[in-house]
Amino acid sequence: MNQTKNEDIDFIEFFILLWQGKWIILSSIIVFGLVGGFYLFNKSVQNKNELPEYRSEITYSVNTSHAIFFETLKHSDIEKKIISNFRELFYQEDIFSEWKSLNGQSEIMFEEFSIIKDFNGIFVKKNEDDRLTTFKFKEDGNYILVNTNKLSKINELYDYSNYVSDFLTSKYESLAIKRYEKISNILNGLSGYSNDYNFNISTFINEQIAIDTYLDDVENGDRAIDIQNPTQPENLNFSQYENISILKIAVFLILGSIIGVFITFIRSAIIKRKDITF
């Protein structure tokens, strides 16, 4: 019975002690709450400055007429070949410089555009997060992923993509013209023959017709790569203050209360010791 009574007294004394130190505990909670909020806010701002602010996708696809042209040349993996050529030209510095000279107001620099960087004299491949553009693939097609802090650069990259497609188209067009002329010369050489070369003549004529159709398509504006308009930019920092959650603030408040209670007990112990001493 006496033990239970003593426990009740100790329990009451505990709450009395907490009540006496309420201002210390409250002050500690406020201080830790402010410090925690300031820390989480700075962390969110730091993340905002480190991450690209906008993300957009520029979808592209191989033009059918160009694929048919390459079929006449008996190429395998036609679409893969055309996309590979497009990507190679896309990251060529001389191609970019030509486009840049025609678009003097462009803010894009080749250093941020390139997939290679100089790391203490060693040329290394950039991480995807450090690139302005990255070629990607998903089920519904190929696309160029754009990560940037300036919206204007998304449109500039769209223009540059079209420029590269035009450049690639002109290369294929030159290839087609040379092939057409070569077939014409072959057909002229076979014109004096009949039965033995009927099959070859028919094959060459069909190829020439296909090339002629292809050249007409190019003249009418068909490009090797069809570029779609960029998707609406996604603001990556829309929830930039997500780190400042109630739960995370609560952790600092709880920590502040614990420290406040600890200080209160230490203060009480010091006062009692002084009373006993005197």
Side-chain angles (χ1 to χ4, degrees):
M1 184 71 178
N2 289 334
Q3 183 179 356
T4 304
K5 186 175 181 180
N6 289 334
E7 289 178 355
D8 289 341
I9 293 174
D10 291 341
F11 193 67
I12 293 172
E13 288 179 353
F14 174 75
F15 275 100
I16 291 175
L17 182 60
L18 292 181
W19 177 254
Q20 290 175 344
K22 62 182 180 295
W23 295 116
I24 296 176
I25 297 173
L26 182 61
S27 298
S28 179
I29 291 173
I30 293 174
V31 169
F32 273 82
L34 291 174
V35 170
F38 182 76
Y39 168 76
L40 294 174
F41 175 79
N42 278 350
K43 189 175 181 180
S44 296
V45 172
Q46 182 180 4
N47 289 339
K48 177 185 176 182
N49 293 333
E50 290 178 353
L51 292 174
E53 189 172 354
Y54 298 103
R55 173 177 293 166
S56 180
E57 297 176 4
I58 301 175
T59 303
Y60 65 92
S61 59
V62 175
N63 191 290
T64 304
S65 63
H66 290 261
I68 293 174
F69 164 62
F70 273 94
E71 285 179 0
T72 65
L73 302 181
K74 304 296 186 291
H75 282 295
S76 59
D77 295 329
I78 298 166
E79 184 170 327
K80 186 176 180 180
K81 176 180 176 60
I82 296 175
I83 290 175
S84 176
N85 290 340
F86 174 65
R87 181 175 180 176
E88 288 174 3
L89 291 174
F90 192 89
Y91 286 115
Q92 280 189 16
E93 187 172 4
D94 56 341
I95 303 297
F96 178 78
S97 298
E98 288 177 10
W99 174 82
K100 182 81 171 177
S101 65
L102 299 173
N103 298 270
Q105 301 300 318
S106 170
E107 298 181 82
I108 304 174
M109 304 299 293
F110 187 74
E111 288 73 19
E112 62 175 335
F113 182 78
S114 173
I115 60 176
I116 303 296
K117 68 176 180 179
D118 186 349
F119 182 75
N120 295 329
I122 303 174
F123 291 96
V124 297
K125 191 174 183 179
K126 289 182 182 177
N127 295 324
E128 288 191 5
D129 294 339
D130 298 329
R131 301 180 194 173
L132 184 62
T133 60
T134 306
F135 277 73
K136 292 283 191 177
F137 171 80
K138 54 185 177 182
E139 292 183 0
D140 56 346
N142 299 283
Y143 66 98
I144 303 169
L145 180 64
V146 182
N147 289 316
T148 179
N149 290 320
K150 292 189 176 181
L151 285 172
S152 58
K153 290 186 178 181
I154 297 176
N155 192 55
E156 289 176 9
L157 284 167
Y158 169 70
D159 291 339
Y160 176 66
S161 300
N162 281 296
Y163 180 82
V164 175
S165 181
D166 287 338
F167 189 90
L168 182 61
T169 302
S170 65
K171 288 188 65 176
Y172 290 161
E173 184 180 15
S174 297
L175 179 64
I177 292 172
K178 289 180 181 179
R179 181 63 182 172
Y180 187 92
E181 292 173 350
K182 185 176 181 179
I183 292 174
S184 296
N185 292 333
I186 292 173
L187 290 176
N188 291 332
L190 296 176
S191 60
Y193 299 90
S194 56
N195 295 332
D196 294 338
Y197 293 90
N198 281 341
F199 176 75
N200 287 335
I201 292 174
S202 176
T203 302
F204 284 131
I205 290 175
N206 289 334
E207 183 178 347
Q208 194 173 44
I209 292 172
I211 294 174
D212 193 48
T213 302
Y214 165 74
L215 292 173
D216 285 342
D217 291 338
V218 171
E219 188 176 348
N220 290 327
D222 281 2
R223 292 171 170 169
I225 298 290
D226 290 327
I227 311 293
Q228 304 298 319
N229 288 325
T231 59
Q232 181 173 337
E234 174 189 1
N235 190 341
L236 300 180
N237 294 309
F238 179 76
S239 56
Q240 59 178 291
Y241 302 118
E242 61 182 0
N243 287 323
I244 312 178
S245 65
I246 295 177
L247 181 60
K248 291 180 179 180
I249 291 291
V251 172
F252 283 93
L253 295 177
I254 293 172
L255 181 61
S257 64
I258 293 173
I259 297 298
V261 171
F262 178 75
I263 293 173
T264 299
F265 275 100
I266 294 296
R267 177 175 175 274
S268 176
I270 293 174
I271 293 173
K272 285 182 179 181
R273 186 171 181 178
K274 286 181 178 181
D275 290 342
I276 293 174
T277 301
F278 293 102

